[in-house]
Amino acid sequence: QVQLVQSGAEVKKPGASVKVSCKASGYTFTSYNIQWVRQAPGQRLEWMGWINAGSGNTVSSQKFQGRVTITRDTSANTAYMELSSLRSEDTAVYYCAREVVGAVWFDPWGQGTLVTVSS
Amino acid sequence: QSALTQPRSVSGSPGQSVTISCTGTSSNVGGYNFVSWYQQHPGKAPKLMIYDVTKRPSGVPDRFSASKSGNTASLTISGLQTEDEADYYCCSYAGSFTVLFGGGTKLTVL
């Protein structure tokens, strides 16, 4: 079955970077996009950006431009989201999700990765 | 961009119907037929319930339906069940390959 499995929880200090992975299985990785969405504690879902796993083209939210880097490794069927210059407000659960190219809906989602930013 | 506007909470009794609205602008909800809805139980990842404004993925009960009028999309859940109690988020394409989520609505089944 189609599945996205994310890397484990991280604790980072302010100013550091974090890289979250999202390993796909059960489908042709390069035929879909991978989206990244985060959710701060008790807050709403917030879109961060996406990557076309085939071409490697990316788009990110203006809010995160300059701080977020989305990449993929097609040999490992894995997408990555790296967020730099972390601050306490970046404490959140980070999700990846699969998206059909040309569609705008996310299914399925990874289990989420908690990133805690604390000094 | 600001989030799409959803009511913070709605409630209903088992068997009743509730409707959750999602208001945006002509630059997102009103401009494209790319509205989706997600259900999220506490501590869980979101689950796709509706896509392309009105379509239900296989496995989603037909108690869930959706529509759009102008800049407002709506999700209706009929025949409420206790397991429907969750947070619901709308999501819309917002142009230039970007996406916008709503603020989320907490559904309580009384």
Side-chain angles (χ1 to χ4, degrees):
Chain A
Q1 77 282 21
V2 176
Q3 198 172 9
L4 300 176
V5 177
Q6 299 183 222
S7 49
E10 303 258 16
V11 178
K12 296 291 183 181
K13 293 196 181 304
S17 296
V18 69
K19 191 171 186 177
V20 179
S21 68
C22 172
K23 183 171 177 59
S25 61
Y27 71 96
T28 303
F29 179 67
T30 52
S31 295
Y32 293 80
N33 297 333
I34 293 290
Q35 292 273 357
W36 289 92
V37 177
R38 78 176 186 179
Q39 186 172 38
Q43 301 300 310
R44 70 177 185 92
L45 300 173
E46 183 175 32
W47 177 72
M48 298 184 70
W50 59 268
I51 186 166
N52 179 300
S55 66
N57 291 338
T58 62
V59 175
S60 57
S61 167
Q62 275 194 327
K63 175 174 179 176
F64 301 102
Q65 278 178 6
R67 286 209 303 144
V68 69
T69 304
I70 300 173
T71 57
R72 94 294 191 217
D73 178 348
T74 56
S75 67
N77 287 351
T78 301
Y80 303 90
M81 186 285 300
E82 183 170 20
L83 189 62
S84 62
S85 303
L86 290 169
R87 35 218 192 219
S88 58
E89 310 90 87
D90 294 318
T91 293
V93 176
Y94 290 76
Y95 293 102
C96 64
R98 188 185 74 161
E99 180 191 53
V100 173
V101 175
V104 191
W105 41 271
F106 309 162
D107 180 58
W109 294 57
Q111 83 276 19
T113 296
L114 175 61
V115 175
T116 303
V117 183
S118 173
S119 54
Chain B
Q1 281 182 328
S2 301
L4 304 174
T5 301
Q6 297 182 233
R8 298 203 76 163
S9 65
V10 297
S11 62
S13 300
Q16 288 187 332
S17 295
V18 295
T19 296
I20 300 171
S21 61
C22 169
T23 301
T25 69
S26 58
S27 297
N28 41 66
V29 174
Y32 310 94
N33 287 322
F34 288 127
V35 176
S36 53
W37 289 88
Y38 301 87
Q39 176 192 66
Q40 187 181 36
H41 287 108
K44 300 295 186 183
K47 175 188 174 184
L48 177 69
M49 304 302 284
I50 296 286
Y51 67 99
D52 292 352
V53 181
T54 61
K55 299 175 183 176
R56 264 181 298 106
S58 62
V60 173
D62 59 7
R63 303 184 293 103
F64 291 83
S65 62
S67 62
K68 189 185 83 166
S69 177
N71 296 335
T72 298
S74 299
L75 173 71
T76 298
I77 309 169
S78 57
L80 271 178
Q81 299 183 4
T82 54
E83 58 261 38
D84 298 334
E85 184 163 296
D87 292 328
Y88 290 85
Y89 291 90
C90 62
C91 177
S92 174
Y93 181 65
S96 300
F97 305 105
T98 66
V99 165
L100 198 56
F101 280 95
T105 298
K106 181 177 179 58
L107 169 62
T108 301
V109 181
L110 303 167

